[in-house]
C-alpha cells in the first residue's frame, strides 16, 4: 500500500504564504501525475493544481498567479507554494497521486489532508 503524507498546513494571515509538501512512500512501480485538491467545509472537493512527471502543470482559475506546484521525482514529492493567501483559500488540502502498480496500470491514492486556515 502507498502512503501520501502531507505537511505544511497551518494558520496564516491573509496575504501570507505557506508551502505544502506531500511525499509518497511504499511499494509501487512509479508515480505518474500528482496534484493538490481542496475541500472547504460543506463544499465539494475541487482540483487546485496538477503536475505530470514531465513537469507540465495545470491550475484552477482561482489560484492562477498565486500558487505554484512543483515536484521532485527523485524524492517522490510534490509541493504547493501558496502566496497571497485569501480567506477563501481556507480548506483541507489533499494530495493525490496516480500510482503505477505495474507498467501500465494506475490507482489514484489520496493523502489524509492538511488544514490550511487563512484569517483576515
Amino acid at each position: 500500500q502507498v502512503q501520501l503524507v502531507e505537511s505544511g498546513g497551518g494558520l496564516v494571515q491573509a496575504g501570507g504564504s505557506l508551502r505544502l509538501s506531500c511525499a509518497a512512500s511504499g511499494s509501487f512501480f512509479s508515480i505518474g501525475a500528482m496534484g493538490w485538491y481542496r475541500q472547504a467545509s460543506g463544499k465539494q472537493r475541487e482540483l487546485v493544481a496538477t503536475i505530470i512527471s514531465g513537469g507540465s502543470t495545470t491550475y484552477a482559475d482561482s489560484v492562477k498567479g498565486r500558487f505554484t506546484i512543483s515536484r521532485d521525482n527523485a524524492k517522490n514529492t510534490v509541493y504547493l507554494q501558496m502566496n497571497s493567501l485569501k480567506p477563501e483559500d481556507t480548506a483541507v488540502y489533499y494530495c493525490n497521486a496516480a500510482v503505477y502498480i505495474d507498467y501500465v496500470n494506475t490507482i489514484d491514492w489520496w493523502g489524509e489532508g492538511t488544514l490550511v486556515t487563512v484569517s483576515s
Side-chain angles (χ1 to χ4, degrees), residues 6-24:
E6 303 109 330
S7 62
L11 176 65
V12 66
Q13 194 171 18
S17 299
L18 285 174
R19 191 190 193 208
L20 306 183
S21 299
C22 173

Side-chain angles (χ1 to χ4, degrees), residues 45-98:
R45 189 174 299 184
E46 65 175 353
L47 186 148
V48 176
T50 63
I51 183 168
I52 63 173
S53 59
S56 181
T57 60
T58 61
Y59 295 93
D61 288 341
S62 59
V63 306
K64 286 180 180 177
R66 300 188 297 120
F67 291 9
T68 302
I69 189 170
S70 61
R71 66 190 290 166
D72 185 335
N73 290 334
K75 297 180 179 180
N76 292 317
T77 300
V78 63
Y79 307 93
L80 186 68
Q81 179 66 46
M82 304 184 293
N83 298 326
S84 302
L85 282 162
K86 305 175 181 179
E88 308 94 271
D89 296 317
T90 296
V92 176
Y93 284 71
Y94 296 91
C95 175
N96 172 263

